[in-house]
Amino acid sequence: MLRMKTLTFSLLAGFSLAGGHASAGTGDLAVPRCAPEPLAQAEQGARVVRYRKNIDELTPDELDAFKHAVSEMKRKSQENVYDRRGFLWQAWVHNCTSVDVFNDRQAALPGDRLKQLLGDPTRNSCDVAYFLDKVATEDNAHEEFPGECEHQKNTFLQWHRAQLYFYEQALQAADPNGERGPSTRNVALPYWNFTRKPSGVRYPKAFEDVDSPLYDATRKREGLDSSLATASPNLLAYQIYYMDWADFGGDEYGSLGGGNLETKIHNHMHATYMGGNMADNVTAGLDPLFYAFHNFLDYSFEKWLDEHGDAGIRGSGRTSYMRSEQDASLRRPIGWNAGSGDDQRSDSGDYTANMGQAGLYFDTIRQGYGFQPRYGGEFARKKDIQALIDRHQQAGFVFGANQKSLFAALLSDDAADGAVARPDLTVTAAYKIPARRVASDKRANMVLDRAHADEDYSFQADIYMYPASVSARIGDKSFRDRYLVTSTSHWALSGAHQHDKYVIETDITGIVDSLVPKKRGQTWRITAAITTNDKGRSLIRQGDFSTPVIRLVDRRKPAEPTYEESKP
């Protein structure tokens, strides 16, 4: 089982460093990528750049072509579940580490059987015994390995970018000559900007049409109160503009847990907001919304690269091969090589043994796609985020003195991803404000440990810090706004990623230091309010969680590890 940690963003670690200094520091790292240099002539010929657009801004013809492509991919899977260009195989890519494949690589799903499979999140779609009449044996079948997603490490965004790269090519290859409908040759995968109010009841309208191939009957369908945005645009923009790679995208091999984009935004969306097939990483790819959702995360990754460049992404974040077996007819990324992995199998048809190394995907234009609007118009502006920070970090700032903490302000009242008023359980510990600020070579980490769960489950942890003289009125919004330190989510993962232990570790040096001058020696409390989803409600126990503590740890980063070439 994996033992994971998560980090919150750096301004909680150093409130006094905000303002012009933070802005200037980010500017020093900025590498403009929105207007790339012209490609070499050979690469221009090899890659026609297509721009991915907001699903709500597609023209009627573009939407029709996209829907037709998804429909055709589903038809391919009905005719043969082992067609790697089909919808089912592409869903398997996300986390079906192996499937039984008949030696002739043929098995049909006639009638409504594919629809039934896609509509039942409890069925193991990776096990063909659940939905094929023919029984796989050692004599008539062999194993193939569609894919294994990356989560809670520094290859999370790169792996999913590679997955979308091949999925988009499968869309384009669905009916390129328009023999069954509009040509799919120029389809670009649209994205769903979930930081805006949905055009439908809960999702983009295109995904709520029950007669559309984009519809999934398993996801939650309740409308949002006041048609709120799903996730906060301010929190996302803060992560993009002010976080380094380890905080934004994840650190080496998950030793400090997933990046903030994953733990503060992605996990909540999967585990709490969408549900159904999207609630489990094995079935998530069965919902067409998965690809539009992750495409906006990919756009966020692209915006981060525009701001910071890729020089800070090192080690396995560059060299790892992205695990998946794709159809050989789908174009590989420029620079692809097979690496030193297993030899090609003779019983598995023509396939690409992996999706290439992570570093190949840093330059999307070179690989044939970009995003519209090209200059990141889907994101809040940096100057507006800086102004929000400045309002919460005046001279002499003390945590708890504002009506809203910085984190609460970043979440905003216009999004549905805020702290929960009625959690399933709480754990509380006392904390004495120290006499001196945290030493420059140290940091103060708030640690919450889930070490005792018998079975993994998703949960959201809202962490509050407040004077002992104040009652923990979590049901009161004014309390939640004033004393919220952070809110983070864990998405229970299945298969190879499953784990029962989980540690949330949040750097709150800035909060502690702000309290020392005026509050030294006072007793405060730290409360973790834990909320799970419907699946986890029968699993969560009070004793699963330790009481939260604040630990002083060494701020100095360990020496950069050395790496052999990462194998696929």
Side-chain angles (χ1 to χ4, degrees):
M1 298 297 181
L2 299 176
R3 182 178 179 85
M4 309 305 300
K5 299 180 181 179
T6 62
L7 294 176
T8 192
F9 43 78
S10 59
L11 284 187
L12 292 180
F15 277 97
S16 62
L17 297 181
H21 176 79
S23 178
T26 303
D28 291 341
L29 294 173
V31 177
R33 303 175 68 258
C34 291
E37 295 180 2
L39 302 176
Q41 191 63 41
E43 292 186 3
Q44 286 181 342
R47 293 292 188 266
V48 175
V49 179
R50 297 177 176 87
Y51 285 90
R52 299 177 180 178
K53 297 169 59 177
N54 190 314
I55 182 70
D56 293 318
E57 296 177 3
L58 296 184
T59 67
D61 287 345
E62 288 171 336
L63 180 58
D64 286 345
F66 172 55
K67 291 192 295 185
H68 178 56
V70 174
S71 180
E72 285 296 285
M73 287 178 65
K74 289 184 176 182
R75 182 185 62 81
K76 291 177 188 290
S77 292
Q78 284 184 289
E79 293 181 350
N80 181 16
V81 297
Y82 301 125
D83 188 335
R84 294 188 178 97
R85 301 162 302 169
F87 187 82
L88 184 56
W89 185 280
Q90 290 298 314
W92 282 347
V93 163
H94 191 243
N95 200 30
C96 284
T97 54
S98 68
V99 293
D100 292 327
V101 179
F102 298 120
N103 292 333
D104 61 1
R105 301 203 81 257
Q106 292 288 325
L109 277 176
D112 289 335
R113 297 183 69 176
L114 177 63
K115 183 177 180 181
Q116 294 167 359
L117 177 63
L118 300 180
D120 186 357
T122 66
R123 182 174 294 185
N124 184 358
S125 65
C126 302
D127 188 347
V128 297
Y130 280 96
F131 55 89
L132 294 180
D133 294 331
K134 186 178 179 180
V135 177
T137 68
E138 291 184 1
D139 295 328
N140 69 4
H142 60 277
E143 276 191 314
E144 295 185 17
F145 310 94
E148 185 175 347
C149 55
E150 297 283 353
H151 285 276
Q152 297 171 336
K153 61 177 68 170
N154 67 342
T155 47
F156 163 70
L157 288 166
Q158 298 94 309
W159 188 93
H160 287 83
R161 171 168 282 195
Q163 179 193 23
L164 299 183
Y165 169 87
F166 279 95
Y167 181 79
E168 183 174 69
Q169 295 205 41
L171 289 171
Q172 293 164 1
D175 188 10
N177 297 323
E179 296 174 359
R180 295 174 177 269
S183 169
T184 63
R185 187 184 310 277
N186 293 314
V187 166
L189 179 65
Y191 59 83
W192 166 33
N193 185 345
F194 48 81
T195 68
R196 293 184 175 179
K197 295 179 180 180
S199 59
V201 173
R202 193 176 179 91
Y203 310 101
K205 285 183 179 179
F207 289 94
E208 293 185 348
D209 178 0
V210 296
D211 298 319
S212 169
L214 306 181
Y215 185 73
D216 185 298
T218 70
R219 54 177 109 103
K220 292 182 178 179
R221 295 190 288 275
E222 303 86 21
L224 289 179
D225 292 341
S226 305
S227 192
L228 296 170
T230 302
S232 170
N234 292 341
L235 179 59
L236 175 59
Y238 175 80
Q239 293 179 2
I240 290 170
Y241 297 131
Y242 294 101
M243 289 186 180
D244 65 12
W245 174 248
D247 278 346
F248 180 78
D251 74 308
E252 195 68 38
Y253 295 117
S255 60
L256 293 175
N260 277 266
L261 184 62
E262 183 178 5
T263 59
K264 302 292 192 296
I265 295 176
H266 163 274
N267 289 354
H268 170 81
M269 293 289 294
H270 269 291
T272 303
Y273 189 82
M274 293 180 286
N277 281 322
M278 293 283 273
D280 191 284
N281 62 316
V282 172
T283 57
L286 299 175
D287 187 341
L289 185 63
F290 171 88
Y291 306 95
F293 165 64
H294 265 277
N295 200 17
F296 188 61
L297 297 176
D298 196 36
Y299 192 2
S300 302
F301 179 24
E302 186 68 3
K303 180 63 174 171
W304 186 92
L305 287 167
D306 287 342
E307 294 292 321
H308 304 275
D310 60 54
I313 307 177
R314 304 184 181 95
S316 63
R318 303 185 78 91
T319 62
S320 288
Y321 286 82
M322 306 290 94
R323 293 171 288 191
S324 172
E325 294 184 355
Q326 296 282 355
D327 195 87
S329 68
L330 301 178
R331 187 174 54 197
R332 302 167 189 178
I334 292 173
W336 183 92
N337 68 80
S340 55
D342 296 335
D343 294 335
Q344 292 284 112
R345 302 183 303 273
S346 60
D347 58 3
S348 301
D350 294 329
Y351 68 98
T352 301
N354 62 73
M355 298 186 291
Q357 288 179 289
L360 299 180
Y361 292 94
F362 294 156
D363 189 343
T364 62
I365 299 297
R366 184 176 184 233
Q367 301 300 351
Y369 77 92
F371 291 92
Q372 293 283 15
R374 293 182 66 184
Y375 298 98
E378 295 280 4
F379 304 98
R381 298 177 302 177
K382 184 176 181 179
K383 68 176 184 179
D384 294 332
I385 303 303
Q386 186 62 56
L388 184 152
I389 293 168
D390 292 342
R391 288 195 299 272
H392 284 78
Q393 298 185 211
Q394 305 295 333
F397 167 78
V398 178
F399 179 77
N402 290 333
Q403 290 183 344
K404 281 192 175 185
S405 69
L406 175 59
F407 196 91
L410 288 169
L411 285 177
S412 80
D413 293 330
D414 297 323
D417 57 353
V420 178
R422 290 183 289 277
D424 292 309
L425 61 88
T426 61
V427 287
T428 300
Y431 174 66
K432 185 177 180 180
I433 307 300
R436 291 182 295 275
R437 288 189 170 98
V438 179
S440 60
D441 63 340
K442 302 290 183 182
R443 67 179 182 222
N445 280 3
M446 189 285 302
V447 181
L448 175 68
D449 189 347
R450 190 194 74 177
H452 310 294
D454 293 327
E455 187 174 346
D456 195 13
Y457 52 83
S458 300
F459 66 89
Q460 176 174 321
D462 304 323
I463 313 296
Y464 302 94
M465 190 170 172
Y466 54 97
S469 59
V470 173
S471 299
R473 305 184 312 277
I474 294 175
D476 184 343
K477 187 176 184 303
S478 64
F479 174 89
R480 298 197 304 274
D481 283 348
R482 184 179 294 270
Y483 297 113
L484 182 66
V485 172
T486 191
S487 179
T488 190
S489 293
H490 166 60
W491 183 33
L493 302 175
S494 300
H497 299 295
Q498 184 174 330
H499 51 268
D500 57 0
K501 296 180 180 180
Y502 193 87
V503 178
I504 295 169
E505 189 163 346
T506 300
D507 185 351
I508 62 167
T509 306
I511 290 175
V512 172
D513 283 349
S514 79
L515 291 166
V516 167
K518 296 181 179 179
K519 307 294 182 181
R520 57 168 55 96
Q522 288 188 9
T523 298
W524 280 48
R525 291 195 175 96
I526 308 169
T527 291
I530 313 296
T531 308
T532 188
N533 55 15
D534 291 341
K535 183 178 180 181
R537 205 144 283 126
S538 63
L539 303 173
I540 191 170
R541 299 289 184 271
Q542 185 78 32
D544 292 347
F545 293 87
S546 66
T547 55
V549 297
I550 295 178
R551 296 175 183 160
L552 292 181
V553 300
D554 194 341
R555 180 178 290 279
R556 290 172 297 177
K557 294 182 178 179
E560 188 73 23
T562 58
Y563 298 92
E564 297 179 358
E565 182 182 54
S566 300
K567 295 183 179 181

